[in-house]
Amino acid sequence: MPGYVIDPPAVNAAPIKGTDELFPVRRVYCIGRNYAAHAIEMGHDPNREPPFFFQKNPDNIDFSGEFPYPSQTKDVHHEIELVVALSKGGVNIAIGKALDHVWGYGIGLDMTRRDLQGIAKDMGRPWEIGKAFERSAPMGALVPASQIGHPSSGKVELKVNGKVRQTGDMNQMIWKVPEMISYLSDYFELKAGDIIMTGTPSGVAAVVPGDVMEASVEGVGVLTVRVT
Ligand code: MN
């Protein structure tokens, strides 16, 4: 049997709350502008135009509870998001069947080099430089849907140093979780291990080293991340 010419990269995997089991991550899909108030604060019309997605890399997800301030930026923003973890994939998944594909949920931060993303937007360039950098997706332990069900409403809140910065409710999502899964599956073959970051409510703002971000999603949990 042929061997690898270099060591194969490690699989990044999420801890599962209350167990020593792991959820291996395959792909990370992120939706843009999925809460109307956030679309408005970023200068866009929140009308229900087709959703759009970008990706982070699986190894950008970080479970350490620390976010090292990244290079080449002076404006790093927090975006708290409900995370969806898929237990099975498929193509052309019907909206009514989409939740059957969900293993569980978590809390993630779509950390964004806003200055670099802004330059990319202005120049019509891809967003990776602003979105898909090292450790750009701090995330907490996942919880199975078999325990908490499928949250579709409830508070989403991010505090920095104890002060509320972002607040919203999952019922304000323009595109709901089943719709996102169905839409993505029309364009990509989804598979077990895929993660979807479901967009952020308004109030995104900058962090600096020393800040402590406390992210909570009602019914899912709390994630605390220190900027180092
Ligand atoms: Mn986001």
Side-chain angles (χ1 to χ4, degrees):
M1 198 170 97
Y4 295 107
V5 296
I6 58 169
D7 292 336
V11 173
N12 200 9
I16 309 298
K17 194 184 265 179
T19 79
D20 55 5
E21 295 181 307
L22 297 169
F23 178 94
V25 178
R26 177 181 175 261
R27 290 187 186 169
V28 185
Y29 294 102
C30 308
I31 193 170
R33 298 171 204 147
N34 201 28
Y35 287 76
H38 174 61
I40 291 168
E41 78 178 346
M42 299 303 289
H44 298 278
D45 183 336
N47 286 326
R48 203 172 140 103
E49 51 191 29
F52 73 93
F53 293 84
F54 58 91
Q55 290 183 49
K56 294 194 184 230
N57 300 296
D59 67 345
N60 294 155
I61 299 180
D62 187 282
F63 304 98
S64 70
E66 291 192 353
F67 173 71
Y69 200 88
S71 63
Q72 302 295 330
T73 180
K74 293 185 167 61
D75 192 25
V76 175
H77 281 199
H78 50 71
E79 297 189 359
I80 178 178
E81 313 208 356
L82 171 73
V83 167
V84 181
L86 300 188
S87 56
K88 61 177 180 174
V91 296
N92 303 320
I93 298 167
I95 291 172
K97 297 269 184 203
L99 291 180
D100 298 345
H101 296 251
V102 175
W103 184 86
Y105 296 88
I107 300 172
L109 295 172
D110 169 15
M111 299 304 294
T112 302
R113 292 196 279 213
R114 193 71 75 199
D115 42 1
L116 301 189
Q117 184 200 25
I119 293 167
K121 281 183 186 173
D122 289 346
M123 298 182 79
R125 289 179 177 168
W127 285 9
E128 281 91 343
I129 199 167
K131 289 287 196 180
F133 54 92
E134 268 49 67
R135 301 177 74 173
S136 59
M139 204 169 280
L142 300 179
V143 286
S146 59
Q147 274 177 29
I148 62 163
H150 297 281
S152 58
S153 67
K155 194 192 227 183
V156 177
E157 184 179 80
L158 183 105
K159 292 180 189 169
V160 175
N161 305 329
K163 259 185 78 177
V164 175
R165 289 264 190 97
Q166 291 190 259
T167 184
D169 191 294
M170 286 178 276
N171 66 16
Q172 297 164 341
M173 286 184 192
I174 297 170
W175 296 94
K176 310 302 183 191
V177 170
E179 294 174 316
M180 284 185 257
I181 292 169
S182 177
Y183 186 91
L184 278 168
S185 76
D186 289 341
Y187 291 86
F188 303 97
E189 181 176 1
L190 298 177
K191 290 196 173 177
D194 289 349
I195 276 184
I196 302 171
M197 299 186 72
T198 60
T200 199
S202 60
V204 298
V207 291
V208 295
D211 282 348
V212 175
M213 300 181 282
E214 187 180 299
S216 60
V217 175
E218 194 175 334
V220 178
V222 178
L223 166 67
T224 302
V225 178
R226 178 180 295 274
V227 184
T228 60

